Amino acid sequence: QVQLVESGGGLVQDGGSLRLSCAASGRTFNSYAMGWFRQAPGKEREFVSAIRGSIAITYYADSVKGRFTISRDNAKNTVYLQMNNLKPEDTAIYYCAAQTSYSSNVKSETAFSSWGQGTQVTVSS
């Protein structure tokens, strides 16, 4: 029964930066992954990034690697997505997701059972 609330979205220009936050309430385990997915208009929901385990293993989609950074604050049950050098193709609703049981397939939405309601990111040229 993990509840997730995203924040930090907004409108930025090409090359700008945003930091998204996802606050989780309810029982969580550091061994379970938390991730970010996004869905652009007319597109399927796609994997963006994830973080997992006590040593905070991170994963990134090729399209965002080198520009986005995922991190977490365990004491606050919060994950962050720092997005730099944003491009118009990054425009999407960004969703935070959490596992409630173990799965190693962190790049698939089927591995996550709790979802936030999303936050809009719009990048203008």
Side-chain angles (χ1 to χ4, degrees):
Q1 62 178 64
V2 178
Q3 302 294 125
L4 305 174
V5 179
E6 303 99 332
S7 62
L11 174 64
V12 298
Q13 290 188 302
D14 192 355
S17 297
L18 287 172
R19 189 174 80 155
L20 306 183
S21 298
C22 174
S25 61
R27 192 178 73 175
T28 60
F29 296 94
N30 291 340
S31 59
Y32 296 163
M34 297 190 71
W36 291 94
F37 293 77
R38 67 187 182 186
Q39 187 167 24
K43 302 291 185 180
E44 298 288 329
R45 184 178 291 179
E46 66 176 356
F47 170 78
V48 177
S49 186
I51 188 165
R52 180 170 63 89
S54 62
I55 61 172
I57 301 170
T58 57
Y59 307 81
Y60 297 95
D62 288 343
S63 59
V64 306
K65 190 174 183 179
R67 299 188 297 121
F68 292 10
T69 303
I70 190 170
S71 62
R72 72 186 184 202
D73 184 333
N74 292 334
K76 296 182 178 180
N77 274 346
T78 300
V79 296
Y80 305 94
L81 186 68
Q82 178 67 46
M83 305 185 294
N84 297 327
N85 192 23
L86 283 161
K87 303 174 181 180
E89 53 263 41
D90 295 316
T91 295
I93 300 174
Y94 284 70
Y95 296 91
C96 180
Q99 293 181 341
T100 55
S101 62
Y102 174 76
S103 174
S104 62
N105 189 16
V106 298
K107 295 184 178 181
S108 172
E109 65 180 19
T110 63
F112 297 85
S113 57
S114 296
W115 293 82
Q117 63 184 3
T119 185
Q120 177 71 47
V121 172
T122 302
V123 185
S124 62
S125 60

